[in-house]
Amino acid sequence: MKVATGRQIPDQIPGRREVRPYAGPFAFVPTGVKAAPPLSMVRPGEKKVVDSLREAIRLAGLKDGMTISFHHHLRFGDHVINMVLDTIAEMGIKDLTFTATGHHPVPESFIKHMEDGVITRIEHAVLVDQLGVAVARGLLKEPVTIRSHGGRPRAIEAGELPIDVAFIAAPTADTYGNLNGIDGPSHCGSLGYAVADAQYAKCVVAVTDNLVPYPLRYISIPQTNVDYVVPVSKIGDPTKIATGAIRKTSNPRDILIAQQIIKVMEASGLVQPRFSFQAGTGGVSLAVTQFLTEIMQQRDIRGSFLMGGITGSTVGLLEKGLFDIIFDVQSFDLDAVASLGRNPNHCEVSASFYANPHNKGCVVNLLDVVILSALEVDTKFNVNVLTGSDGVMRTGPGGHQDTAAGSKLTIIGTPLLHGRIPAIVDDVVTVVTPGETVDVVVTEYGVAVNPLRQDLIDRMKDARLPLASIEDLKLKAEKLAGKPKAPEFTDQIVGVVEYRDGSVIDVVRQPRSWVDR
């Protein structure tokens, strides 16, 4: 069958009861009621603190074939996922579905758990390191389901992703199960991605290295959602939160792209009092944030809110009085963690509040401008942020689909070439974000406005921007690096890309180069 972007997808996909094709960003209207966790009871005098992870897993009733969940706020410093999986493997439990908002780093032990049948299915937001390669090798019988940060809580609330046991890395927990991420030696800030897991899982196990007496002063996840608390020696290394995608730049190319993005923002007319803004954590996004600071100070503009993954640069905008509020679903560095703990206008929010399209109003619906990156953009403005040029899943959609759909102005900032590989192509390897939700593509060689946004085209004409068609940018990239060779695939589907509303927007097939490797 054909989805609204023009991609063909199969009528049936292994492991999925229904294949609903993507029909448009707001075409699907949900019906029915939300899922619900089972009723439970804790009698006076009963305790939640247990001595070991093994005992908590036993009490949770984890058995073969169940689903376990995790969150990734400690990012590259997380110790809990591996600690839990190693314990589960020692207990002989197998055939589990693993779901997480992210997972990095992915050690060899995780791949071994896949090879040994401990983990047999994955529903994920981000595939990094060896995990994408393992999936490309065909290590799983069923394809991985890829969801955005808004799509995952939607699926949990809709009952499409039932969780048996949720494991929450809690930087601080009190003895009755109240949790937060701002206190303790492994503080990571917001626990926003874990909220839906805690609310809807059948059993919730908090793992902490900072157990404190009841009651906790600041509560991110309340005692009413937590069954057991397990004290351990160390849940993670907070110094490794700011690793990976987060980087400041002095690259002249990135600076030029950032300068052009600022010009696009100003020409759009949206940089006005009370405007709202989200940028990513890459070099271009952080440079845009710096330039935006200068412009808002010069023009004496005060914005409304900032949101998304929060960095020290974002915090700087709040502390300079340039915005009223930060909505924080993930703190991306220790400056953001510290700010969440001290500033009442830095507010922790859940992923559902942030970007779930099927609740009573998520924040992305109110977003004016978002700056996003891309691995590839095609001439229909479709964006790939999942698969590399070799067809292997290397990262994930994060909030890409969500913010693009909700924002008044979606800007993709990307170099024309990634190394020697064109970023502007005829057709992206994998469609993650549909072109109809992307407004402007900014490269160091020119700025392309989506023809669907004639209003923006009219506004950009007098902005002294190097305007170009997306086709011209593609030809320029091919002139510099040659026409890219598309990867070859087998018929085996190894990944299903859901749009944020639960429809299927694309599938990922096994790269032929990884067969029998």
PDB file of all heavy atoms in Angstrom, residues 28 33 49 69 112 114 244 306 352 401 445:
ATOM      1  N   PHE A  28      -5.474  11.206  11.157  1.00  0.00           N
ATOM      2  CA  PHE A  28      -6.062  10.166  12.002  1.00  0.00           C
ATOM      3  C   PHE A  28      -6.622  10.772  13.281  1.00  0.00           C
ATOM      4  O   PHE A  28      -5.926  11.489  13.994  1.00  0.00           O
ATOM      5  CB  PHE A  28      -5.009   9.103  12.346  1.00  0.00           C
ATOM      6  CG  PHE A  28      -5.521   8.027  13.257  1.00  0.00           C
ATOM      7  CD1 PHE A  28      -6.438   7.092  12.797  1.00  0.00           C
ATOM      8  CD2 PHE A  28      -5.106   7.960  14.584  1.00  0.00           C
ATOM      9  CE1 PHE A  28      -6.929   6.097  13.641  1.00  0.00           C
ATOM     10  CE2 PHE A  28      -5.585   6.978  15.430  1.00  0.00           C
ATOM     11  CZ  PHE A  28      -6.502   6.048  14.949  1.00  0.00           C
ATOM     12  N   VAL A  33     -10.858   4.597  24.580  1.00  0.00           N
ATOM     13  CA  VAL A  33     -10.416   5.102  25.872  1.00  0.00           C
ATOM     14  C   VAL A  33      -8.951   4.730  26.090  1.00  0.00           C
ATOM     15  O   VAL A  33      -8.410   3.859  25.421  1.00  0.00           O
ATOM     16  CB  VAL A  33     -11.265   4.531  27.034  1.00  0.00           C
ATOM     17  CG1 VAL A  33     -12.706   4.969  26.902  1.00  0.00           C
ATOM     18  CG2 VAL A  33     -11.163   3.005  27.070  1.00  0.00           C
ATOM     19  N   VAL A  49      11.022  -0.717  50.034  1.00  0.00           N
ATOM     20  CA  VAL A  49      12.462  -0.886  49.801  1.00  0.00           C
ATOM     21  C   VAL A  49      12.813  -2.376  49.889  1.00  0.00           C
ATOM     22  O   VAL A  49      12.474  -3.043  50.879  1.00  0.00           O
ATOM     23  CB  VAL A  49      13.284  -0.082  50.823  1.00  0.00           C
ATOM     24  CG1 VAL A  49      14.777  -0.307  50.600  1.00  0.00           C
ATOM     25  CG2 VAL A  49      12.954   1.401  50.721  1.00  0.00           C
ATOM     26  N   SER A  69      10.659  -1.886  30.439  1.00  0.00           N
ATOM     27  CA  SER A  69      10.922  -0.552  29.874  1.00  0.00           C
ATOM     28  C   SER A  69      11.972   0.195  30.692  1.00  0.00           C
ATOM     29  O   SER A  69      12.159  -0.069  31.884  1.00  0.00           O
ATOM     30  CB  SER A  69       9.632   0.266  29.800  1.00  0.00           C
ATOM     31  OG  SER A  69       9.336   0.865  31.049  1.00  0.00           O
ATOM     32  N   LYS A 112      24.791  -9.633  23.296  1.00  0.00           N
ATOM     33  CA  LYS A 112      24.789 -11.044  23.712  1.00  0.00           C
ATOM     34  C   LYS A 112      23.422 -11.443  24.258  1.00  0.00           C
ATOM     35  O   LYS A 112      22.955 -12.565  24.022  1.00  0.00           O
ATOM     36  CB  LYS A 112      25.876 -11.294  24.755  1.00  0.00           C
ATOM     37  CG  LYS A 112      26.065 -12.780  25.073  1.00  0.00           C
ATOM     38  CD  LYS A 112      27.281 -13.022  25.925  1.00  0.00           C
ATOM     39  CE  LYS A 112      27.584 -14.525  26.048  1.00  0.00           C
ATOM     40  NZ  LYS A 112      26.431 -15.320  26.450  1.00  0.00           N
ATOM     41  N   MET A 114      20.669 -10.331  23.221  1.00  0.00           N
ATOM     42  CA  MET A 114      19.856 -10.562  22.022  1.00  0.00           C
ATOM     43  C   MET A 114      20.192 -11.926  21.415  1.00  0.00           C
ATOM     44  O   MET A 114      19.302 -12.696  21.054  1.00  0.00           O
ATOM     45  CB  MET A 114      20.103  -9.453  20.994  1.00  0.00           C
ATOM     46  CG  MET A 114      19.638  -8.068  21.442  1.00  0.00           C
ATOM     47  SD  MET A 114      20.198  -6.741  20.329  1.00  0.00           S
ATOM     48  CE  MET A 114      19.303  -7.130  18.830  1.00  0.00           C
ATOM     49  N   GLY A 244      27.967  12.993  23.094  1.00  0.00           N
ATOM     50  CA  GLY A 244      27.310  12.577  21.861  1.00  0.00           C
ATOM     51  C   GLY A 244      26.891  13.754  21.015  1.00  0.00           C
ATOM     52  O   GLY A 244      27.728  14.476  20.480  1.00  0.00           O
ATOM     53  N   LEU A 306      10.509  28.153  26.159  1.00  0.00           N
ATOM     54  CA  LEU A 306      11.497  27.301  25.493  1.00  0.00           C
ATOM     55  C   LEU A 306      11.173  25.872  25.879  1.00  0.00           C
ATOM     56  O   LEU A 306      10.632  25.617  26.951  1.00  0.00           O
ATOM     57  CB  LEU A 306      12.903  27.638  25.982  1.00  0.00           C
ATOM     58  CG  LEU A 306      13.379  29.065  25.765  1.00  0.00           C
ATOM     59  CD1 LEU A 306      14.387  29.437  26.851  1.00  0.00           C
ATOM     60  CD2 LEU A 306      14.006  29.196  24.398  1.00  0.00           C
ATOM     61  N   SER A 352       4.451  13.119  27.315  1.00  0.00           N
ATOM     62  CA  SER A 352       3.082  13.268  26.807  1.00  0.00           C
ATOM     63  C   SER A 352       2.691  14.741  26.778  1.00  0.00           C
ATOM     64  O   SER A 352       2.111  15.227  25.801  1.00  0.00           O
ATOM     65  CB  SER A 352       2.107  12.475  27.690  1.00  0.00           C
ATOM     66  OG  SER A 352       0.812  12.476  27.146  1.00  0.00           O
ATOM     67  N   GLN A 401       9.577  14.467  14.406  1.00  0.00           N
ATOM     68  CA  GLN A 401       8.230  14.466  13.810  1.00  0.00           C
ATOM     69  C   GLN A 401       7.296  15.388  14.590  1.00  0.00           C
ATOM     70  O   GLN A 401       6.473  16.112  13.994  1.00  0.00           O
ATOM     71  CB  GLN A 401       7.636  13.059  13.865  1.00  0.00           C
ATOM     72  CG  GLN A 401       8.340  11.991  13.092  1.00  0.00           C
ATOM     73  CD  GLN A 401       7.713  10.624  13.374  1.00  0.00           C
ATOM     74  OE1 GLN A 401       6.971  10.446  14.337  1.00  0.00           O
ATOM     75  NE2 GLN A 401       8.018   9.663  12.521  1.00  0.00           N
ATOM     76  N   TYR A 445      25.145  26.586   1.230  1.00  0.00           N
ATOM     77  CA  TYR A 445      25.119  26.986  -0.177  1.00  0.00           C
ATOM     78  C   TYR A 445      23.794  27.601  -0.593  1.00  0.00           C
ATOM     79  O   TYR A 445      23.662  28.040  -1.745  1.00  0.00           O
ATOM     80  CB  TYR A 445      25.404  25.765  -1.064  1.00  0.00           C
ATOM     81  CG  TYR A 445      26.857  25.348  -1.063  1.00  0.00           C
ATOM     82  CD1 TYR A 445      27.322  24.387  -0.184  1.00  0.00           C
ATOM     83  CD2 TYR A 445      27.766  25.949  -1.946  1.00  0.00           C
ATOM     84  CE1 TYR A 445      28.651  24.011  -0.185  1.00  0.00           C
ATOM     85  CE2 TYR A 445      29.104  25.577  -1.943  1.00  0.00           C
ATOM     86  CZ  TYR A 445      29.543  24.602  -1.059  1.00  0.00           C
ATOM     87  OH  TYR A 445      30.872  24.230  -1.058  1.00  0.00           O
TER      88      TYR A 445
END
